[in-house]
Amino acid sequence: MKPLASRLGSVIAIGIALGFAVPGHASEDGWNDAGTIAKNALVVAAFGVPAIQRDWNGVLQAGGSIGGAIVITQGLKESFPSRRPDGSDNKSFPSGHTSTSFAAAATLHNRHGWEAGLPAYVVASFVGLSRVEARKHRVGDVLVGAAIGTATGHLITRRANERIQVMPWADSGGGGVDISMRF
């Protein structure tokens, strides 16, 4: 079986190649399409790498991280309507493409280490750039999306085979963090 970095590298290389394929004078639609393809490649990698390894807990954690980012992002979009720079609607704040991409990148980083995380964060950053260049978001929308995705990815995903586990929890009466260690 190929090492994780090799398998992940194949998927992430697609997203990075998109970044170099979009020239500075590309149309807004070109930036939009490239960013969407890169976001989708990250989501496939976040679910695909653990699935290939038959790491079903990792698949669930990827789903929780990405799903959590989407729920938070959509809640903020509804609570704080903001006109997009292109004027298409009032769903600019925060960037959903960016929050989803950074959730996938943070999941890969937290679960599989920096070797998987570094290229994933490069692709996620390209997604954020593409959203600004496509005039779908302002820089602040993208930065908040990146923060949401990174937070959910690191709060919900834990390192594969890690002896210490940190798990946030919440219910109607409050919330906290459970910490457990295997000896």
Side-chain angles (χ1 to χ4, degrees):
M1 183 179 271
K2 288 182 177 179
L4 170 67
S6 175
R7 287 190 309 268
L8 179 62
S10 299
V11 176
I12 298 302
I14 295 167
I16 293 172
L18 291 170
F20 294 116
V22 179
H25 62 280
S27 69
E28 291 173 5
D29 286 341
W31 279 104
N32 188 41
D33 293 345
T36 298
I37 291 168
K39 173 197 66 130
N40 292 341
L42 279 172
V43 170
V44 167
F47 284 107
V49 169
I52 289 168
Q53 297 174 336
R54 297 177 193 243
D55 174 13
W56 306 120
N57 199 19
V59 172
L60 281 173
Q61 290 176 22
S65 298
I66 293 167
I70 291 169
V71 167
I72 292 167
T73 299
Q74 292 306 316
L76 288 171
K77 283 181 181 288
E78 293 299 322
S79 299
F80 303 101
S82 175
R83 195 90 169 135
R84 291 186 188 270
D86 69 358
S88 61
D89 63 29
N90 288 327
K91 305 270 187 207
S92 184
F93 176 81
S95 170
H97 277 66
T98 307
S99 66
T100 300
S101 297
F102 273 87
T107 294
L108 289 163
H109 175 221
N110 212 26
R111 187 103 179 133
H112 302 287
W114 71 267
E115 297 90 347
L118 183 63
Y121 281 123
V122 169
V123 175
S125 297
F126 168 74
V127 172
L129 171 67
S130 76
R131 302 309 287 164
V132 173
E133 291 296 325
R135 294 184 24 91
K136 295 295 182 184
H137 296 286
R138 292 168 196 80
V139 172
D141 302 333
V142 167
L143 292 175
V144 171
I148 291 167
T150 302
T152 60
H154 281 286
L155 287 172
I156 295 173
T157 308
R158 63 182 185 274
R159 187 106 171 119
N161 301 321
E162 187 172 276
R163 293 172 51 127
I164 298 175
Q165 298 179 4
V166 179
M167 191 61 131
W169 62 272
D171 61 22
S172 61
V177 177
D178 285 330
I179 300 174
S180 63
M181 182 173 177
R182 286 185 285 150
F183 294 96

